[in-house]
Amino acid sequence: MQSANAANPHLHQPHAAAMGAPAGMEHCPIMPTYGPPSIMFVEGSGCWLTDREGKRYLDLLSGLAVTSLGHSHPAVAEAVSRQAQRLVHTSNLYATEHAGPVAQTLDRLLGGGGQVFFANSGAEANECAMKLARKWAGHGRHVVVSTYGSFHGRTMATLAATGQPAKHEPFAPMPDGYRHVAWADLAHLESAIDETVSAVIIEPIQGEGGVHPADPEYLAGIRRLCDERNLLMILDEVQTGLGRTGEWFGFQHADVAPDVVTMAKALGNGVPISACWAKAEVAAAFQPGDHATTFGGNPLCTAAARATLEVMEDEDVPGKARHAGALLRGALEELRGVSSVRGAGLLLAVELDGLDAPKVAGDLLSAGVIVNAVTPTALRLAPSLLISDDEVAEATRRIGVTLAANRAEVD
Ligand SMILES: *Cc1c(COP(=O)(O)O)cnc(C)c1O
């Protein structure tokens, strides 16, 4: 039996089916969770990737919204190589140099008054948030409510929180304590809240679900409900956090103050590190021994995060994302074959007019442009936040050519 996910692996690997595996990779003992890769990249710089044959690609996906400062950013590369030669890991039995400063910076960017737990992936940051919610609320109030179409990770708990039943089905039964409600429907959310609920977890823009921004009023309504019913409002900013949307955090487009915020993708510019931030009075529910992860906040990863955040602050990278995002969005909206563009900053979905998104994404890859088909009819663009005006123009030109060719085939 094939799983529901295996039925359409091209949604995340648009190019996989189109071409064979790169030479030398055909028989590698790697589990088939991702579909066969078609290309092996060996080098990256800024918005550009180079494959084994020396072909260059304009990367508009940034390794799924991860390399927000572009590939191999010199400041991050320098910090990581220096740290690799100094000290890589000690465990959390001891303090290390960069964890404190990174936590301070994140807390300041989030408005202060909070504390941070470091982990290694988005899913783990969300696991921390949901464990914290249970500990904070006490026994009997273990339920977390999330929305249909959401994505919170692939571990058992974060998969259960993810509002995509097709992803649950092969692994049923899911862990207990997760409830899903319709996206953008406050009344449905309210009806799902009873005395067993401790928290609501929501993405300010549903990312994997198709790049659907939450209305500011929706987020404000969730905040109000959480206040009325004494629930934690957890913002999953794993994809939207750290400048991607043109603000430091996606929730900052709305007038809300979350209790817990998770982040990961962009935090180490490609070096795996994530964080769960919570207001200090909430974080106080954790006591020594309640939660841990061996690699969490190690010197190598926090050195990468420290360098990444320094560049982001010094160069006003959220402001750059706002500028480049407006430019890119405006140019894409002008293209024939595009019916609409949604998102914020440099997290955009391009809804195609009667074209097959996985096919277009595959053609774009052949044309040296990396995007992914986030739905069967929409492309996701999440380029480096440092993308130049010229690169935006070049990206738009190449996309326009590929869309025109696809329209000619359909007409
Ligand atoms: C990518 C993502 C995750 C999962 O992150 P991993 O690092 O793959 O575990 C969780 N939430 C959101 C919103 C994401 O985009």
Side-chain angles (χ1 to χ4, degrees):
M1 264 289 278
Q2 291 283 299
S3 74
N5 301 327
N8 59 355
H10 57 279
L11 280 184
H12 286 274
Q13 293 272 322
H15 44 286
M19 308 168 218
M25 290 292 288
E26 300 90 342
H27 304 296
C28 287
I30 292 174
M31 289 193 192
T33 56
Y34 298 110
S38 60
I39 294 180
M40 184 186 289
F41 289 119
V42 293
E43 234 181 271
S45 175
C47 291
W48 296 87
L49 281 169
T50 307
D51 73 12
R52 271 214 307 208
E53 279 73 45
K55 178 175 169 183
R56 278 163 48 87
Y57 297 76
L58 185 48
D59 182 6
L60 303 181
L61 195 58
S62 311
L64 297 168
V66 167
T67 51
S68 284
L69 301 180
H71 295 285
S72 309
H73 190 283
V76 182
E78 159 73 17
V80 168
S81 60
R82 211 180 331 113
Q83 191 62 41
Q85 295 172 61
R86 186 168 157 83
L87 182 68
V88 171
H89 180 85
T90 63
S91 89
N92 286 299
L93 298 173
Y94 312 100
T96 56
E97 279 175 85
H98 308 299
V102 173
Q104 273 168 345
T105 301
L106 293 177
D107 185 48
R108 174 164 45 76
L109 296 174
L110 282 158
Q115 293 181 330
V116 168
F117 177 87
F118 288 114
N120 315 286
S121 67
E124 280 176 281
N126 286 335
E127 287 272 350
C128 175
M130 295 190 294
K131 278 182 74 177
L132 180 59
R134 285 190 179 199
K135 188 82 198 303
W136 171 82
H139 288 307
R141 289 184 63 205
H142 60 287
V143 174
V144 174
V145 181
S146 62
T147 59
Y148 282 111
S150 63
F151 183 81
H152 300 296
R154 299 289 202 148
T155 61
M156 290 303 280
T158 58
L159 180 61
T162 291
Q164 300 187 42
K167 286 186 165 68
H168 295 171
E169 190 279 327
F171 305 102
M174 284 288 102
D176 203 18
Y178 301 88
R179 203 170 283 171
H180 305 101
V181 295
W183 173 249
D185 185 342
L186 265 183
H188 194 199
L189 174 60
E190 185 160 20
S191 72
I193 297 170
D194 59 23
E195 67 290 345
T196 67
V197 174
S198 56
V200 176
I201 185 169
I202 187 149
E203 299 156 271
I205 299 177
Q206 282 191 341
E208 302 306 304
V211 188
H212 298 289
D215 280 344
E217 301 76 46
Y218 179 43
L219 292 180
I222 295 175
R223 178 69 273 177
R224 202 173 344 100
L225 270 178
C226 287
D227 287 341
E228 284 167 15
R229 309 295 286 268
N230 191 29
L231 311 179
L232 295 183
M233 181 177 186
I234 304 172
L235 261 293
D236 179 348
E237 296 258 9
V238 167
Q239 185 156 167
T240 49
L242 302 166
R244 171 63 49 197
T245 68
E247 297 287 347
W248 279 104
F249 292 93
F251 76 81
Q252 291 167 341
H253 293 274
D255 187 21
V256 296
D259 302 299
V260 180
V261 178
T262 58
M263 66 205 87
K265 289 188 163 92
L267 184 53
N269 206 51
V271 176
I273 176 169
S274 66
C276 173
W277 173 94
K279 294 204 305 214
E281 58 270 31
V282 175
F286 271 159
Q287 280 153 18
D290 276 340
H291 194 51
T293 178
T294 301
F295 294 125
N298 89 17
L300 190 73
C301 298
T302 46
R306 190 174 187 174
T308 300
L309 292 169
E310 264 169 30
V311 174
M312 285 186 167
E313 288 206 281
D314 289 351
E315 300 185 16
D316 181 23
V317 168
K320 290 190 170 165
R322 247 184 342 262
H323 163 82
L327 199 65
L328 179 59
R329 187 179 186 138
L332 291 167
E333 280 169 347
E334 294 299 309
L335 292 179
R336 296 189 57 204
V338 170
S339 58
S340 62
V341 182
R342 60 179 180 265
L346 282 172
L347 179 57
L348 297 174
V350 179
E351 195 66 42
L352 301 176
D353 186 8
L355 299 175
D356 177 54
K359 155 85 165 61
V360 171
D363 289 356
L364 279 168
L365 189 71
S366 304
V369 180
I370 298 172
V371 300
N372 87 327
V374 72
T375 74
T377 58
L379 304 175
R380 171 174 42 180
L381 274 59
S384 163
L385 308 184
L386 300 180
I387 190 170
S388 70
D389 291 4
D390 286 349
E391 287 164 335
V392 167
E394 179 62 15
T396 316
R397 191 188 65 75
R398 292 190 191 190
I399 293 170
V401 169
T402 296
L403 289 182
N406 272 267
R407 283 171 57 88
E409 283 171 30
V410 172
D411 288 347

